[in-house]
Amino acid sequence: MGTGCHFGCNTGCNSDCNYSFNPDGNEGFNPDINVKANTLNSVKIGICGLGTVGSGAVNVLSRNADEINARAGCQILISQVGARRDNPACDLGDISVTRDIFEVADNPDIDILVELIGGTTVAKDLVFRAIKNGKHVVTANKALIAEFGNEIFDAAKEKGVTVAFEAAVAGGIPIIKAIREGLSANRIEWLAGIINGTGNFILTEMRDKGRDFSDVLKEAQELGYAEADPTFDVEGIDAAHKLVILASLAFGIPLQFDKVFTEGISKIEPQDVTYAEQLGYRIKHLGVASRNNGSIELRVHPTLIPEKCLIANVDGVMNAVLVNGDAVGPTLYYGPGAGAEPTASSVIADIVDLARTLTADPEHRVPHLGFQPDQLNDINVLPISEVETAYYLRITALDAPGVLAKITQVLSDANISVEAVIQKEPGAGKDHVQLILVTNRTVEKYLDEAVEKIQALDSTAGDVVRIRVESLG
Ligand code: HSE
């Protein structure tokens, strides 16, 4: 608590606090004084990290200060910035800057620490230090929340502070708030999302312009979309971090990053993008969290989606999350999933939310994962071998009579039926053709066995390419 605060409980508000201490000992929750009591003059924030998002946050806070303050009901002041960068993409004016980010976590003047440095090492120490010092935290760090969120929320609960993380998932889309608060009446059955802007940008450019994978990735890095380590984007780790967070909010389960099945987009070939289109599908890198007979599926992988689905038409760096609740039915949330100001938009929304509730009794704030911490469920997460989907298969096969029949026989023996087939002409001088099949839904382990048998046939060559198919119906 800052010096001079009149508030008698553990809010962490600073010296400008107007909150009236109720002499009855009810710590300000006397309804007679609450109109005045709920107003703080100012909330002081410390921003750690001045990269793409940090600079974006400073710029938006300064440009829209009047509107933001009018919404928050108090002045949001940047008291201090902790950053190593000498030339940030924002004007810091006379804001105090330190190269030691822990100075910000220890600064008694600061109510809210905004962690925008990323990663799970220094950022983790910083967040725990801020919590220990009774500060609320706003973070855009999906890896930190997905991997250490359970411990972080426990520590925050103990200190009566809040850790807000809207910017951690889907950049500028307020999807955390939508699931945690807007859909709180629903039993959520499943959700599916395009939750990595870089990956979606790459797949879109490959499809629309026939561009090369690595060339598009380079552009995504220059535009500030990609993670510091871009394999996080293309191998699905970033999407898995985000999916874990969404699943916990949707199903009331602890964060379990180690249980997500993750497959990247780096092996998607241009010919699969083309064949998918010929079959009426688009390939998207999808995160899926779904209930399945008392268990839960958590998976990130390239997915064929019927082109008539709205989510199949989400292109470029845009993200979208489709959430199916039993009361509301399907709802779709769409917007920019990365970039300086879209992500800053979510960071600042969290700051405003915190400024509004800084004086609320910690027990009556919105719980971190939407469910009360003692109400989280221990639901089994299924291994991918038990998951049921349809499949796109591309098989390199000898161009000879009876080959297609042999392949479909293997599938039929595994009780897998074929929905669609394309056979391409062999190239000049080639004796092998590409056979493309779309199967009905089956449990993955049965498809694994069938694929092994197809690969063992004398009339096929190389590995079968397989991509999961979801109708999202
Ligand atoms: N690298 C991430 C993306 C940034 O491309 O979506 C936002 O989390």
Side-chain angles (χ1 to χ4, degrees):
M1 196 188 311
T3 52
C5 175
H6 303 297
F7 189 49
C9 72
N10 182 20
T11 63
C13 61
N14 65 45
S15 54
D16 285 320
C17 176
N18 257 356
Y19 200 93
S20 307
F21 181 70
N22 175 358
D24 295 342
N26 293 333
E27 296 195 331
F29 295 102
N30 179 338
D32 295 333
I33 60 168
N34 262 356
V35 174
K36 183 173 170 221
N38 271 336
T39 311
L40 298 175
N41 280 339
S42 68
V43 167
K44 292 186 178 153
I45 65 171
I47 298 181
C48 293
L50 270 191
T52 305
V53 181
S55 299
V58 172
N59 286 332
V60 176
L61 275 168
S62 133
R63 190 174 72 234
N64 296 344
D66 290 347
E67 262 185 305
I68 290 169
N69 292 342
R71 288 191 167 113
C74 65
Q75 266 202 306
I76 292 172
L77 303 172
I78 306 175
S79 265
Q80 193 174 27
V81 162
R84 299 219 177 92
R85 197 173 288 251
D86 285 327
N87 297 305
C90 61
D91 178 6
L92 290 173
D94 55 7
I95 299 169
S96 143
V97 182
T98 172
R99 292 178 84 84
D100 176 8
I101 51 171
F102 289 92
E103 221 181 87
V104 182
D106 292 338
N107 183 340
D109 230 19
I110 284 170
D111 304 309
I112 302 172
L113 181 133
V114 183
E115 183 278 304
L116 300 174
I117 59 176
T120 53
T121 53
V122 181
K124 181 178 163 211
D125 294 344
L126 181 74
V127 165
F128 275 108
R129 179 105 142 234
I131 292 170
K132 181 167 157 274
N133 289 337
K135 297 187 190 315
H136 301 272
V137 173
V138 170
T139 178
N141 192 332
K142 52 256 157 166
L144 185 66
I145 297 297
E147 295 180 34
F148 299 102
N150 299 321
E151 300 161 46
I152 290 172
F153 299 151
D154 283 349
K157 183 171 187 296
E158 205 165 294
K159 293 298 286 188
V161 297
T162 297
V163 176
F165 50 95
E166 182 63 72
V169 182
I173 308 174
I175 186 65
I176 306 273
K177 204 169 181 69
I179 297 177
R180 188 173 57 193
E181 294 163 57
L183 298 179
S184 57
N186 289 263
R187 175 181 161 89
I188 294 177
E189 300 295 343
W190 56 265
L191 60 86
I194 296 170
I195 44 181
N196 181 269
T198 302
N200 203 39
F201 181 64
I202 292 172
L203 287 174
T204 305
E205 292 286 302
M206 282 174 74
R207 189 193 74 222
D208 288 355
K209 302 183 187 151
R211 286 179 67 190
D212 180 64
F213 181 95
S214 50
D215 173 42
V216 191
L217 174 58
K218 193 162 163 277
E219 188 182 341
Q221 287 176 288
E222 283 160 8
L223 290 168
Y225 302 153
E227 296 302 297
D229 176 355
T231 57
F232 273 47
D233 296 296
V234 296
E235 297 306 341
I237 300 157
D238 177 75
H241 283 141
K242 295 166 180 168
L243 184 72
V244 163
I245 298 172
L246 293 180
S248 289
L249 295 161
F251 306 131
I253 55 174
L255 296 147
Q256 298 167 80
F257 175 64
D258 55 335
K259 303 263 178 71
V260 193
F261 171 79
T262 307
E263 189 178 292
I265 57 168
S266 56
K267 295 199 184 80
I268 296 290
E269 291 185 33
Q271 58 179 323
D272 296 313
V273 175
T274 307
Y275 297 146
E277 289 225 78
Q278 290 172 6
L279 289 158
Y281 295 92
R282 298 263 166 92
I283 301 180
K284 292 291 175 189
H285 202 194
L286 215 61
V288 179
S290 178
R291 293 187 192 272
N292 180 340
N293 289 322
S295 296
I296 283 186
E297 298 175 12
L298 290 179
R299 48 194 168 95
V300 172
H301 49 72
T303 312
L304 268 74
I305 308 172
E307 66 190 359
K308 63 179 190 304
C309 286
L310 278 175
I311 200 167
N313 295 282
V314 171
D315 287 335
V317 74
M318 302 308 267
N319 280 196
V321 184
L322 185 54
V323 185
N324 198 49
D326 67 338
V328 70
T331 55
L332 180 66
Y333 307 85
Y334 168 84
E341 294 207 357
T343 313
S345 163
S346 288
V347 167
I348 296 166
D350 274 346
I351 297 170
V352 170
D353 240 9
L354 273 174
R356 287 172 177 153
T357 58
L358 218 50
T359 52
D361 165 5
E363 296 300 320
H364 293 96
R365 297 191 192 124
V366 179
H368 288 107
L369 292 174
F371 291 69
Q372 298 301 334
D374 60 355
Q375 298 290 316
L376 295 180
N377 298 304
D378 183 17
I379 307 179
N380 176 46
V381 178
L382 285 179
I384 192 70
S385 56
E386 296 297 336
V387 164
E388 186 185 290
T389 70
Y391 293 86
Y392 160 102
L393 305 176
R394 176 164 58 80
I395 303 163
T396 305
L398 199 63
D399 185 23
V403 172
L404 180 58
K406 275 189 204 158
I407 292 169
T408 53
Q409 187 61 52
V410 172
L411 292 169
S412 155
D413 291 347
N415 210 17
I416 300 168
S417 59
V418 175
E419 283 275 291
V421 183
I422 304 180
Q423 178 174 340
K424 306 311 286 185
E425 293 283 312
K430 300 262 171 68
D431 55 1
H432 282 75
V433 289
Q434 298 295 300
L435 284 177
I436 296 97
L437 285 78
V438 178
T439 74
N440 266 351
R441 289 174 74 81
T442 184
V443 176
E444 181 127 343
K445 63 185 172 194
Y446 302 134
L447 188 93
D448 289 341
E449 287 166 15
V451 163
E452 244 180 70
K453 287 182 186 156
I454 291 169
Q455 288 177 172
L457 293 172
D458 290 341
S459 46
T460 62
D463 285 348
V464 172
V465 171
R466 66 157 102 171
I467 307 175
R468 296 171 188 85
V469 180
E470 290 288 354
S471 64
L472 302 178

